[in-house]
Amino acid sequence: MSEPPLAADEATMLRAFLDDQRATLVRQTDGLDAEQLGRRVPPTTMTLGGMLKHLAYVEDWWFGVTLAGAPPHPPFEQVDWRHNRDWDWTSAADDDPATLRRMLHDAIARSDAILDGVADLDAFAARRHRRGGEGISVRWILIHMIEEYARHCGHADLLREAIDGTTGL
């Protein structure tokens, strides 16, 4: 495991922190079987498997759909999000661990390929913000994704400890 550099240009630093958060989530779910990935720990309905699928969706949404302007990648393109806003979380119970892990890995690879083609953090995404219609900078998307992963890594840490007692991942 490598930590983000202590000094680098802004783009390198932001991507390194995002990569660190991604790696943290992967570590927090490593070695768990289908039952463990699908286990709910009350009072939350969140599962670690749902978290893997959710973050694959979030990667696809912010980098693929929003930044690049591409259509949603399978399986997300067929989801009726208005009917089931939590589909990514709840449908993960139907997926085996290898599928969930591959889904996240592939989404990250697509996101990184998109980011590799971006030279300016001030560049605007292809899509505008859905609520206010403002332009969204690459910098904002990267910071938002770091925040998204950091929040869920905190959840994952607590869930993992409740599932098998593992801490400090």
Side-chain angles (χ1 to χ4, degrees), residues 112-131:
D112 284 344
I114 291 165
L115 285 169
D116 288 345
V118 174
D120 182 6
L121 293 176
D122 291 321
F124 284 108
R127 291 183 63 150
R128 300 180 82 67
H129 197 274
R130 66 180 179 263
R131 282 180 244 156

Side-chain angles (χ1 to χ4, degrees), residues 83-100:
H83 181 259
N84 186 356
R85 294 182 52 87
D86 290 330
W87 177 87
D88 45 345
W89 291 96
T90 59
S91 67
D94 300 329
D95 299 317
D96 63 86
T99 298
L100 292 169

Side-chain angles (χ1 to χ4, degrees), residues 22 47 49 64 99 101-102 107 119 129 144 167:
R22 289 165 165 169
T47 66
T99 298
R101 290 182 175 104
R102 187 175 49 257
H129 197 274
H144 174 70
T167 61

